[in-house]
């Protein structure tokens, strides 16, 4: 019995992937960093949702989360292969040698021999997903969500994959030229920022009425999303050392120092000009150029892998600065032009136009594309006679009542409007001018304002008692 099991065990051992070349601490570290980078996706959703008006807040959460699913499929199907396939030698984009992650297992990764290629592909997946999620902010309040998902797949294929290949693939032209792109200044920062600019340019500006007294609907979500991004960015930068080493520690420290110092300086400058404190962020073109100036060989070599990189301008490697500059220009030009072309072509395809209708922009993308809402403020049925001033007669009181379906209320709840006074006992107070009898017969329209709503108003159509059509769907205006 014992002799029979030995050949079986030997065969299984030979068939098992050899993991002895990898330190399990490094492997565990990159797995954790992958989870941290993934955590940035909901952080972006909260950030964008908080910055938007309430009527389009959920749609931004939706596109960020849905784009993550799209990119996971794209990366598994052919995204990783088009970016990192080492058998492609054209310098621009990979081939389909690793389609469906074929032949991706325990070989040393193309980014670092410290971790296996399967883990490397998983970590780089998070980079691609976060990049597309950042770009999705361009759809804010006027972009259709389903075409945005089609765009996400196409963009990740013919924009992100080539740009990432340039600097990170061992056969990429940027890699061979000596570009220093540690954690995605080109494919991630320029890709998402310039790509988002091109997407917004094709979409066009929001309607002027939507910009009157515009304010974020929930600053608390903005703060929450910002700190989730900061938290995840530690895994983004430290993990790019591809091992639990001192280079990762330096990257983690730099992530905290750069964010903290820039935030402090910005707040002080803002207070100087506006006597108010605010929060803002910056992206990565400056970082790439500064790599060309301040890159230090003794920091880069702390991972004990990249020991032959000469550093930047300050270490008398003068050519590094123009290498970085050329890479920045190439990334910006390619990303903007190709993104704009994708968007323009999609606009000519029936059913894939990126911009919503004017009506959808008025009522909000949550109502038009999602059918759900980030918050329901009014969803109660009450009689306000008990605390409203008495009317002259029962007939007058009945004539003044109307059923209103509040914006965001698809569940059937409604509020009875009484004599036009400000109602303080609903979740969202409403003030309305009651129509005349002739207006009621014609299906009157009145202006309704939610208390505390400083972003504009809703034009709601009342279904008054004399209207034979009963309660109808309401045309919602600015909110």
């Amino acid at each position: 019995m014992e002799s029979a099991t030995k050949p079986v065990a030997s065969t299984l051992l030979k068939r098992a992937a050899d993991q002895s070349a990898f330190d399990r601490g490094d492997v565990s570290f990159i797995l954790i960093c992958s989870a941290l980078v993934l955590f940035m996706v909901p952080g972006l959703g909260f950030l964008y949702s908080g910055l938007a008006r309430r009527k389009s807040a959920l749609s931004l959460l939706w596109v960020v989360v849905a784009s993550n699913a799209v990119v996971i499929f794209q990366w598994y199907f052919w995204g990783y292969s088009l970016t990192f396939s080492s058998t492609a030698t054209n310098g621009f984009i990979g081939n389909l040698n690793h389609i469906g992650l074929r032949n991706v297992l325990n070989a040393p990764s193309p980014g670092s021999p410290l971790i296996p290629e399967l883990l490397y592909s998983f970590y780089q997946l998070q980079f691609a997903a976060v990049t597309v999620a950042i770009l999705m902010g361009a759809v804010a309040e006027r972009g259709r969500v389903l075409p945005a998902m089609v765009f996400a797949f196409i963009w990740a294929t013919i924009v992100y994959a080539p740009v990432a290949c340039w600097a990170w693939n061992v056969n990429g032209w940027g890699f061979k030229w000596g570009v220093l792109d540690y954690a995605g200044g080109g494919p991630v920062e320029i890709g998402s920022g310039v790509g988002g600019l091109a997407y917004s340019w094709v979409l066009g500006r929001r309607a002027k009425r939507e910009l009157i007294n515009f304010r974020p609907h929930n600053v608390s979500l903005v703060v929450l999303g910002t700190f989730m991004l900061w938290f995840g960015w530690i895994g983004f930068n430290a993990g790019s050392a591809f091992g639990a080493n001192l280079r990762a520690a330096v990257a983690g420290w730099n992530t905290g120092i750069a964010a903290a110092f820039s935030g402090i300086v910005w707040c002080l400058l803002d207070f100087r000009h506006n006597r108010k404190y605010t929060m803002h962020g910056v992206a990565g073109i400056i970082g790439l150029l500064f790599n060309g100036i301040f890159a230090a060989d003794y920091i880069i070599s702390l991972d004990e892998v990249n020991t032959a990189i000469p550093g930047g301008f300050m270490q008398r490697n003068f050519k590094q600065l123009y290498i970085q500059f050329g890479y920045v220009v190439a990334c910006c030009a390619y990303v903007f032009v190709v993104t704009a072309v994708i968007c323009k072509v999609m606009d000519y395809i029936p059913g894939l136009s990126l911009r919503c209708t004017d009506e959808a922009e008025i009522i909000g993308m949550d109502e038009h594309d999602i059918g759900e809402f980030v918050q329901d403020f009014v969803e109660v049925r009450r009689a306000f006679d008990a605390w409203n001033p008495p009317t002259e007669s029962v007939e007058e009181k009945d004539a003044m009542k109307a059923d209103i379906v509040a914006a965001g209320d698809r569940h059937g709840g409604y509020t009875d409007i009484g004599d036009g006074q400000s109602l303080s006992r609903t979740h969202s107070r409403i003030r309305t001018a009651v129509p005349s009898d002739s207006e009621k017969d014609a299906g009157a329209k009145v202006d309704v304002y939610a208390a505390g709503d400083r972003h504009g108003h809703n034009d709601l159509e009342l279904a008054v008692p004399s209207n034979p059509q009963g309660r109808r769907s309401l045309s919602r205006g600015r909110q």
Side-chain angles (χ1 to χ4, degrees):
M1 183 68 178
E2 183 179 353
S3 61
T5 58
K6 284 184 178 181
V8 175
S10 177
T11 302
L12 292 175
L13 184 61
K14 289 179 181 179
R15 291 168 59 184
D18 182 13
Q19 305 177 52
S20 61
F22 308 112
D23 184 276
R24 300 206 174 201
D26 291 335
V27 171
S28 300
F29 176 71
I30 300 304
L31 280 171
I32 293 172
C33 288
S34 300
L36 290 177
V37 179
L38 173 62
F39 194 60
M40 297 171 68
V41 172
L44 284 163
F46 286 130
L47 174 66
Y48 291 159
S49 177
L51 286 170
R53 297 178 191 270
R54 181 175 64 88
K55 65 181 181 179
S56 296
L58 187 61
S59 65
L60 283 167
L61 273 171
W62 193 95
V63 294
V64 168
V65 173
S67 71
N68 183 65
V70 170
V71 173
I72 289 174
F73 168 72
Q74 186 271 350
W75 195 253
Y76 166 79
F77 181 60
W78 63 17
Y80 176 76
S81 187
L82 292 174
T83 306
F84 290 105
S85 177
S86 58
T87 58
T89 57
N90 59 68
F92 179 79
I93 193 170
N95 55 30
L96 298 180
N97 185 54
H98 294 309
I99 188 170
L101 294 185
R102 189 169 62 95
N103 300 323
V104 176
L105 191 58
N106 64 321
S109 75
S112 171
L114 298 177
I115 59 173
E117 188 173 13
L118 185 64
L119 176 58
Y120 182 77
S121 66
F122 181 68
Y123 182 66
Q124 289 292 345
L125 159 64
Q126 315 309 327
F127 277 50
V130 166
T131 302
V132 175
I134 296 172
L135 193 155
M136 286 294 103
V139 311
E141 303 190 333
R142 67 207 188 283
R144 297 174 60 213
V145 299
L146 183 58
M149 298 303 101
V150 177
F151 168 85
F153 184 90
I154 298 172
W155 190 89
T157 300
I158 65 177
V159 177
Y160 181 85
V163 175
C165 175
W166 297 350
W168 289 340
N169 191 309
V170 293
N171 291 316
W173 67 260
F175 185 91
K176 290 183 174 180
W177 197 26
V179 167
L180 298 180
D181 191 343
Y182 173 70
V188 178
E189 301 290 354
I190 293 177
S192 60
V194 176
L197 176 64
Y199 195 104
S200 298
W201 175 66
V202 175
L203 274 185
R205 293 171 57 87
R206 278 171 275 198
K208 289 184 178 179
R209 65 175 177 270
E210 298 298 322
L211 300 176
I212 298 174
N213 196 28
F214 179 85
R215 295 290 189 278
H217 98 278
N218 193 324
V219 179
S220 296
L221 288 182
V222 176
V223 176
L224 174 63
T226 300
F227 270 87
M228 290 173 69
L229 287 172
W230 194 351
F231 180 70
W233 224 286
I234 296 174
F236 199 99
N237 291 335
S240 293
F242 301 116
N245 49 56
L246 275 178
R247 193 182 185 193
V250 171
W253 258 110
N254 286 343
T255 303
I257 291 173
F261 282 23
S262 60
I264 291 170
V265 171
W266 189 281
C267 285
L268 292 177
L269 290 175
D270 210 51
F271 182 79
R272 177 185 176 187
H273 291 288
N274 303 318
R275 313 307 295 177
K276 296 286 190 297
Y277 296 110
T278 59
M279 293 179 296
H280 297 269
V282 294
I285 292 177
I286 298 299
L288 282 171
L289 296 177
F290 276 19
N291 279 348
I293 299 174
F294 299 110
D297 57 358
Y298 60 89
I299 297 294
I300 299 172
S301 63
L302 287 175
D303 60 4
E304 299 180 349
V305 174
N306 296 284
T307 57
I309 295 177
F313 191 92
M314 298 297 290
Q315 291 192 314
R316 307 186 67 81
N317 181 25
F318 304 121
K319 68 176 182 179
Q320 192 64 49
L321 187 55
Y322 74 72
I323 289 175
Q324 299 297 113
F325 179 78
Y327 174 66
V328 167
V329 172
C331 288
C332 290
Y334 179 83
V335 169
F336 186 88
V337 171
V338 178
T339 302
V341 169
I342 295 171
C343 295
K344 286 289 188 181
V345 171
M346 287 186 63
D347 269 341
Y348 285 105
I349 300 175
L352 290 183
S353 59
L354 298 175
R355 175 111 191 192
C356 68
T357 63
D358 188 61
E359 178 187 2
E361 190 174 358
I362 290 174
I363 67 175
M365 300 310 300
D366 292 359
E367 168 77 2
H368 188 266
D369 276 10
I370 306 298
E372 296 280 352
F373 306 91
V374 72
Q375 293 162 327
D376 276 346
F377 286 112
V378 181
E379 196 173 347
V380 294
R381 177 188 175 104
R382 292 177 178 174
F384 296 99
D385 297 343
W387 56 80
N388 285 341
T391 56
E392 295 297 327
S393 65
V394 174
E395 291 77 11
E396 181 183 356
K397 179 171 63 176
D398 291 339
M400 286 184 172
K401 288 186 177 181
D403 291 348
I404 292 183
V405 180
D409 179 12
R410 64 184 182 82
H411 306 301
Y414 63 92
T415 303
D416 291 332
I417 298 301
D419 59 0
Q421 292 194 4
S422 178
L423 307 178
S424 60
R425 301 192 183 186
T426 60
H427 293 160
S428 178
R429 296 189 296 146
I430 294 177
R431 180 173 70 252
T432 179
V434 177
S436 65
D437 292 337
S438 60
E439 290 172 331
K440 294 174 186 175
D441 294 337
K445 287 187 177 181
V446 299
D447 288 337
V448 178
Y449 298 83
D453 182 6
R454 51 200 172 94
H455 308 317
H457 65 273
N458 298 336
D459 296 327
L460 301 184
E461 186 173 357
L462 294 180
V464 295
S466 59
N467 186 348
Q469 296 180 4
R471 190 192 309 167
R472 295 183 291 174
S473 299
L474 307 178
S475 175
R476 298 176 182 81
R478 297 188 299 275
Q479 65 170 334

